[in-house]
Amino acid sequence: MSIDNKKVALVTGSTQGIGEGIVLELAKIGFSVVINGASTKYLSEDYKNRLRSIFKEELEDRYIYIQANVEKKEDREKIIDEIKKKFDRIDVLVNNAGVGPIKRGELLDMTEESYDRVMRTNLKGPFFLTQTIAKWMIELKKTLTDDYQPYIINISSINRYTPSLNRGEYCISKAGMTMMTKLFAVRLAEVGILVFEISPGIIDTPLTKPRHDIYDKLINEGVTPIKRWGKPIDIAKPVVAIVSGLIPFSTGSVLDIDGGFHLHRL
Ligand SMILES: NC(=O)c1ccc[n+]([C@@H]2O[C@H](COP(=O)([O-])OP(=O)(O)OC[C@H]3O[C@@H](n4cnc5c(N)ncnc54)[C@H](OP(=O)(O)O)[C@@H]3O)[C@@H](O)[C@H]2O)c1
């Protein structure tokens, strides 16, 4: 399946892990891609080479890297400004950037600083970025052709409904994201913007690397009916399905991409 090569997808938090996986799969189906991260000024050469193998000689025209912290209003404005300058349109927003607490710990000792940091990155930033981009998509709807079909996809977590006592602020942020999905889905349906949420399970990325042994053990013991780690491509494939128009009569839906973790068993 090939997408009109003028279509543009922004994936926040896409310098590694799930976000990178989504970027590469969207590039493969023809999207120009906006890559984002907060901590590094430039995209690594390795990453650029992965993009080059997809875009070939079109590389420089087909991607942009924007260093921006989604927590900050001025950085969110920078994202929009740079996309407008380079591509002048946006078709897909994937709210993927997310962090856990710097230090996991006892719920009763969670600090306000940690709570605020996680909520700013995982919920407040995505909410206000979505608000601004949705307004831009509404404008684009008026000027672009009838086949302009924008999508917004939120990457939440099994922690949206599963309490993990050592990272309560993360759980709260992801539960909030599920309501954010519903709110935007209802508001934007009338203007033809479809909103989805993907709820990943245990995925092999730099985020989960420090706890690899713990998760290996849990998976072996059957915490997920499908006994394997998820990979970034397991999340990227449903994103491709959504933006390819394969789920047209739905909005506000949550896809549990978690090896069956969400199933209650007796
Ligand atoms: N891995 C899992 O098992 C799992 C499970 C469920 C849900 N998720 C969710 O999936 C998403 C991606 O997770 P991952 O495992 O791929 O994480 P990761 O490997 O830690 O990657 C996170 C990405 O987000 C960027 N980022 C972090 N804070 C940012 C900010 N304030 N502004 C902009 N970019 C920011 C990072 O870039 P910089 O370092 O440059 O900032 C990086 O590119 C997160 O929302 C996470 O909560 C992951």
Side-chain angles (χ1 to χ4, degrees):
M1 193 166 329
S2 177
I3 299 285
D4 176 344
N5 71 12
K6 290 198 192 72
K7 290 189 176 179
V8 177
L10 161 62
V11 184
T12 66
S14 48
T15 54
Q16 60 180 30
I18 291 172
E20 178 180 355
I22 296 170
V23 159
L24 295 176
E25 291 308 301
L26 290 181
K28 281 183 201 160
I29 60 161
F31 275 86
S32 295
V33 288
V34 183
I35 300 156
N36 158 252
S39 65
T40 53
K41 197 158 185 184
Y42 302 106
L43 206 56
S44 73
E45 279 308 310
D46 278 355
Y47 200 128
K48 272 199 224 172
N49 285 335
R50 287 194 279 283
L51 291 172
R52 187 172 287 112
S53 70
I54 299 168
F55 290 136
K56 310 276 188 304
E57 64 284 352
E58 286 188 343
L59 175 68
E60 292 305 326
D61 294 331
R62 300 296 302 281
Y63 89 98
I64 184 172
Y65 171 64
I66 306 173
Q67 182 187 16
N69 185 337
V70 296
E71 290 180 25
K72 296 183 182 162
K73 188 173 193 290
E74 62 273 21
D75 281 25
R76 293 193 298 270
E77 284 167 358
K78 175 180 159 184
I79 293 176
I80 313 279
D81 288 349
E82 293 201 16
I83 302 174
K84 283 189 174 165
K85 226 183 296 160
K86 173 104 180 177
F87 297 116
D88 201 25
R89 70 182 280 166
I90 181 94
D91 299 79
V92 172
L93 164 64
V94 183
N95 284 306
N96 170 74
V99 291
I102 291 171
K103 202 163 159 274
R104 295 181 174 202
E106 160 64 59
L107 185 78
L108 299 181
D109 294 328
M110 188 205 297
T111 63
E112 291 196 30
E113 287 73 18
S114 180
Y115 179 97
D116 286 344
R117 173 182 159 275
V118 170
M119 294 295 277
R120 275 198 311 268
T121 302
N122 294 6
L123 190 56
K124 183 182 170 190
F127 178 86
F128 286 102
L129 183 66
T130 301
Q131 194 186 60
T132 312
I133 288 194
K135 285 181 184 166
W136 184 19
M137 286 171 165
I138 291 168
E139 286 309 305
L140 288 169
K141 269 247 166 207
K142 293 177 192 158
T143 55
L144 295 176
T145 50
D146 286 348
D147 68 348
Y148 176 66
Q149 176 54 72
Y151 295 94
I152 293 166
I153 302 172
N154 297 324
I155 307 297
S156 61
S157 167
I158 51 178
N159 278 127
R160 72 196 171 87
Y161 58 84
T162 306
S164 291
L165 288 180
N166 61 5
R167 52 181 188 282
E169 57 278 69
Y170 182 81
C171 301
I172 295 168
S173 72
K174 295 298 187 179
M177 184 171 241
T178 295
M179 180 49 73
M180 177 182 142
T181 302
K182 293 177 200 279
L183 288 166
F184 280 117
V186 174
R187 174 62 184 86
L188 299 176
E190 69 187 72
V191 290
I193 301 171
L194 301 182
V195 182
F196 288 85
E197 178 172 329
I198 293 179
S199 176
I202 304 165
I203 313 295
D204 192 5
T205 71
L207 183 75
T208 44
K209 206 175 168 105
R211 276 162 288 277
H212 224 274
D213 291 350
I214 297 169
Y215 287 128
D216 270 346
K217 185 167 180 290
L218 287 171
I219 292 167
N220 283 333
E221 288 169 355
V223 72
T224 51
I226 300 175
K227 280 191 177 185
R228 70 162 173 88
W229 280 82
K231 298 281 179 193
I233 195 156
D234 292 312
I235 307 302
K237 280 190 183 293
V239 170
V240 166
I242 292 166
V243 304
S244 300
L246 295 179
I247 316 180
F249 190 46
S250 186
T251 192
S253 305
V254 183
L255 306 186
D256 293 297
I257 310 297
D258 59 3
F261 176 91
H262 65 281
L263 297 164
H264 298 286
R265 285 163 283 168
L266 196 57

